[in-house]
């Protein structure tokens, strides 16, 4: 996976506005458990490819995990902010995703995030 990360980094230097490359690098970082790097790159992917639900889906999962276990992510405990980011990511998935199964998953995650934030 390290080699794949290097290749994607090199490709991004050549084509920095390619959201698919950023998405792929973010997913590789996620598999390498480089969660902070993954979040940062997936945020870029989401900004570059505004009509794709894929980076938002991964961001939703990562924000949830970071809210539940910030130490694993090397982050300070700021669960409410991360749950809010997860909620925003899942909302975006629902706005963009056409696959009914993925939409159902997003709805469950969105409901969980809203509950964590004390929302009805």
């Amino acid at each position: 996976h390290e080699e794949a990360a290097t290749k994607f980094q090199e490709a991004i230097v050549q084509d920095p506005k390619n959201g698919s490359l950023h998405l792929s690098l973010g997913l590789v970082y996620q598999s390498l458990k480089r969660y902070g790097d993954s979040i940062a790159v997936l945020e870029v992917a989401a900004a570059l490819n505004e009509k794709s639900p894929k980076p938002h889906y991964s961001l939703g999962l990562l924000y949830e995990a970071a809210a539940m276990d910030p130490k694993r992510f090397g982050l300070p405990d700021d669960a409410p902010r991360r749950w809010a980011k997860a909620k925003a990511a899942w909302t975006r998935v629902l706005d963009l995703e056409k696959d009914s199964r993925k939409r159902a998953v997003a709805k469950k995650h969105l409901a969980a995030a809203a509950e964590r934030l004390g929302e009805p």
Side-chain angles (χ1 to χ4, degrees):
H1 288 118
E2 288 291 346
E3 185 178 335
T6 300
K7 296 289 184 189
F8 283 121
Q9 290 166 347
E10 291 169 357
I12 287 170
V13 169
Q14 299 300 313
D15 190 3
K17 296 198 185 269
N18 185 322
S20 294
L21 291 173
H22 285 85
L23 174 63
S24 296
L25 179 59
L27 296 175
V28 168
Y29 282 157
Q30 190 174 352
S31 70
L32 291 168
K33 298 182 180 175
R34 292 175 54 181
Y35 301 120
D37 291 333
S38 181
I39 288 171
V41 174
L42 288 168
E43 286 175 343
V44 173
L48 290 172
N49 198 355
E50 295 176 2
K51 297 190 189 242
S52 175
K54 292 176 184 178
H56 299 285
Y57 195 99
S58 292
L59 283 168
L61 293 172
L62 287 166
Y63 289 140
E64 286 179 7
M68 290 188 280
D69 190 1
K71 288 181 184 177
R72 185 175 85 185
F73 283 70
L75 298 169
D77 189 8
D78 189 4
R81 185 173 69 84
R82 290 194 186 84
W83 280 114
K85 285 184 164 238
K87 182 182 172 200
W90 292 118
T91 298
R92 194 71 180 131
V93 171
L94 286 175
D95 290 344
L96 299 169
E97 184 59 65
K98 294 186 182 2
D99 182 301
S100 61
R101 291 171 297 185
K102 291 179 183 176
R103 288 181 57 80
V105 170
K107 284 179 184 178
K108 287 179 185 177
H109 283 275
L110 182 58
E115 182 179 323
R116 294 284 185 144
L117 289 166
E119 299 172 0

